[in-house]
């Protein structure tokens, strides 16, 4: 019985190593599209930022930049003389921006307006959080962001499916141009990960 904890630690370490190894291999082959959140084709060219070989979602970049900017500005101007009015105004405007993020409205906005909307949704709750900190009420902007995240994800998926609805490549039997590079990256990942599993199995058999 005394050896069981050691074996458990060894098993846990092995699982962690496999998980990290899997993630490392995945990113090696697929980091170029992992954060794009869109097909890599002409239809979505304006929705993806192309940073060399790395492709990242333009809306998500604005959201996280807004979060970071809101926290920074909030920390620089705190303690505020009137934190509650500031937090209330920030949450109110963020709610209005979330309404503008509905698929029926957001898809019709110019790309720059969509950038402002996404950045504002990140910036304003972060500003409200720092304005209320360390009051227990500071949890409210976090809750609002957590509640909004699934809705934003559904809206994004709907917009992407609608954008592909009249694509000429839908009738093709093969992989569309928007996912050709991704399919190749995933295939290369599968081949390397399969080799890794085979090597690990051979090492176990030698023990």
């Amino acid at each position: 019985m005394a050896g069981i904890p050691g074996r458990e630690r060894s098993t846990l370490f092995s699982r962690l190593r496999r998980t990290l190894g899997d993630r490392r291999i995945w990113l090696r082959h697929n980091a170029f599209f992992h954060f794009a959140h869109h097909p890599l084709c002409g239809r979505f060219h304006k929705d993806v930022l192309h940073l060399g070989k790395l492709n990242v979602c333009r809306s998500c970049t604005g959201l996280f930049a807004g979060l970071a900017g809101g926290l920074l500005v909030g920390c620089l101007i705190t303690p505020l003389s009137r934190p509650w009015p500031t937090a209330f105004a920030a949450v109110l405007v963020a709610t209005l921006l979330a309404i503008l993020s509905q698929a029926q409205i957001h898809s019709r906005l110019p790309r720059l307006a969509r950038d402002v909307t996404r950045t504002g949704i990140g910036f304003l709750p972060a500003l409200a959080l720092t304005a209320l900190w360390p009051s227990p009420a500071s949890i409210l902007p976090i809750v609002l962001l957590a509640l909004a995240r699934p809705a934003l994800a559904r809206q994004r998926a709907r917009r992407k499916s609608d954008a592909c609805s009249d694509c000429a490549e839908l009738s093709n039997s093969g992989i569309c141009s928007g996912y050709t590079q991704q399919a190749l990256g995933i295939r290369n990942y599968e081949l390397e990960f399969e080799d890794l599993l085979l090597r690990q199995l051979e090492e176990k058999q030698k023990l």
Side-chain angles (χ1 to χ4, degrees):
M1 296 296 292
I4 292 179
R7 287 202 298 271
E8 290 179 347
R9 287 194 295 270
S10 178
T11 302
L12 180 62
F13 177 76
S14 298
R15 289 177 180 175
L16 178 61
R17 185 177 63 179
R18 285 197 298 270
T19 300
L20 293 176
D22 178 19
R23 199 65 175 175
R24 176 177 55 82
I25 295 172
W26 170 266
L27 291 176
R28 179 188 301 159
H29 294 289
N30 300 306
F32 73 93
F33 77 85
H34 186 76
F35 304 101
H37 302 162
H38 295 81
L40 301 180
C41 63
R43 283 180 170 244
F44 295 93
H45 182 76
K46 292 183 179 179
D47 298 319
V48 178
L49 295 177
H50 308 279
L51 309 175
K53 294 182 178 180
L54 183 65
N55 302 280
V56 296
C57 176
R58 185 166 173 171
S59 293
C60 290
T61 301
L63 179 65
F64 286 108
L67 282 169
L71 292 174
L72 178 61
V73 170
C75 290
L76 291 176
I77 65 176
T78 54
L80 295 172
S81 58
R82 305 181 66 186
W84 279 99
T86 300
F88 177 78
V91 171
L92 178 62
V93 176
T95 302
L96 295 176
L97 292 178
I99 294 174
L100 290 176
S101 292
Q102 298 299 307
Q104 299 87 341
I105 302 174
H106 200 261
S107 59
R108 299 176 183 177
L109 296 176
R111 181 64 254 188
L112 182 58
R114 282 185 274 170
D115 292 339
V116 172
T117 299
R118 279 292 187 267
T119 305
I121 290 176
F123 179 88
L124 293 167
L127 179 63
L129 186 152
T130 53
L132 295 175
W133 188 265
S135 166
S138 61
I139 193 67
L140 293 177
I142 300 176
V143 172
L144 290 174
L145 278 175
L147 293 175
R149 187 177 182 276
L152 291 174
R154 287 193 298 269
Q155 294 295 332
R156 182 178 64 193
R158 181 177 176 181
R159 285 197 301 273
K160 287 193 290 186
S161 63
D162 291 344
C164 294
S165 61
D166 59 344
C167 180
E169 295 186 51
L170 283 178
S171 59
N172 297 343
S173 58
I175 300 173
C176 74
S177 60
Y179 286 103
T180 302
Q181 298 179 63
Q182 294 93 313
L184 179 60
I186 292 172
R187 179 55 178 163
N188 291 334
Y189 155 76
E190 291 175 342
L191 290 173
E192 183 172 349
F193 189 61
E194 182 180 353
D195 290 340
L196 176 63
L197 292 177
L198 289 174
R199 289 197 302 270
Q200 291 177 346
L201 181 60
E202 291 176 355
E203 291 175 0
K204 287 184 177 180
Q205 291 175 344
K206 293 178 180 178
L207 296 178

